[in-house]
Amino acid sequence: MRDIVFTRGSGWIPNVIHEDAGLRLMLGAGADANHDPRTFTFPIGEAHLAVIRTDLGRHLMLWSAVLPLCDDAGTSNPLDEDAAVALLDPVLLSSPADVDALFRRIRWDRSRLIAHGADIDLLQRGRLCAAMRAATETPNEKRAQEYRADRRRAERGTVLGPLDAALLRFTGQYAHGSTVPRRLPDAVDAALLPEVMHVIATAEQACAGMRIGLDPRRGRRATDKQAWDTMATAVDTAVRRAHPRLADDAVRTVSFLMCSEAAAQTRNTPAADEESAGPGAAGKAALSFTDDKGAEKKWRRGGPRSAAAEFWEFVADCSAADNEVFTIEDEEMGEGIQLHFYADSLARVTTVRPGRGGPDPEYRVEYTLVDGLAGYRDLVNAYARGGCAALDRHGPWMSDVADLERARRNRRPTR
């Protein structure tokens, strides 16, 4: 039979229960192999219960000291009850000086105390009892998250100034650097908000007119990494020039915000059809799209969308890590282009001699390197307008694969 003897308002602070022959402290910590929460108990005495009832700070410090023992138990081992019981008198019944000395010798969960309002400066100076005078039953997990983030920054030698911290709070990335950034002006101290907005304005001016399109080579929702890197570099350069004292974390969060907003705008805007045929040019009448896995799609002039738009939709639907070769073919003209996304290259194939009733047809294959997604789009549009002949100015073209490989090794990657 288990009866709750004492509990506090916050559900995670350990409870005191009466079970079988006596009092026990019960706390939830960790998870089992099925990811379900684990619950631990260990015996306490009436004197310990009296302190737990009246002294929130000592109650929380005991919790902080026992949590590492729960971590040691892992997913299936029992709690070391002897070690837990050995903490009771030193934490709950000793003088403040002795408690502080104890916590200099044992492992304890600092973030639990910080979440419950402990004075961080006093904690860092080893004065735990004094730090816990500000303790609250209701936790502030964000406070603990920000403390852990500051510790990680300190480990890599980063110290934030007031404006740095304000920029990270403005983007919602103070505690979690991988969080998608947003504009949160209410999270910034009013006195610092004008400076924050000045930095943001510098970034906006640096990337004005730039955009980050979708990259169908990586699926329907993926963004163009090269365009992202270009925008991030432009913003970083401008912000560092205008605000040289900003920490790297602050500069990165601003460029991340600009790039994320640009990418989101593209995702949320209906895709405009790409015009393949220029003035006075009808372009191709019919094309066939294929991939390396046997998928095929036909396009004919006169439909609702251009050849280029239909092709890139086909790529977005079919592209995968093991499917990075796509072909556009004009069967009637006996020519086509093959896009090698894995190698940043493209081949154009033209028929030199058709094979009708005699020897096999003879083809000319020529290769060129491609500069990212924008380069592929230019080549696809040019081919849809005027076929392989329209690609002459997009060279240089190489007929020898060895020449292509040498050219690839001699340039920096674009993806």
Side-chain angles (χ1 to χ4, degrees), residues 310-322:
E310 289 282 357
F311 171 72
W312 289 115
E313 183 176 90
F314 175 72
V315 170
D317 288 339
C318 300
S319 184
D322 61 346

Side-chain angles (χ1 to χ4, degrees), residues 226 344 370-372 411-415:
Q226 188 175 0
D344 289 325
V370 183
D371 187 11
R411 79 167 186 177
R412 298 178 61 184
T414 59
R415 301 182 69 193

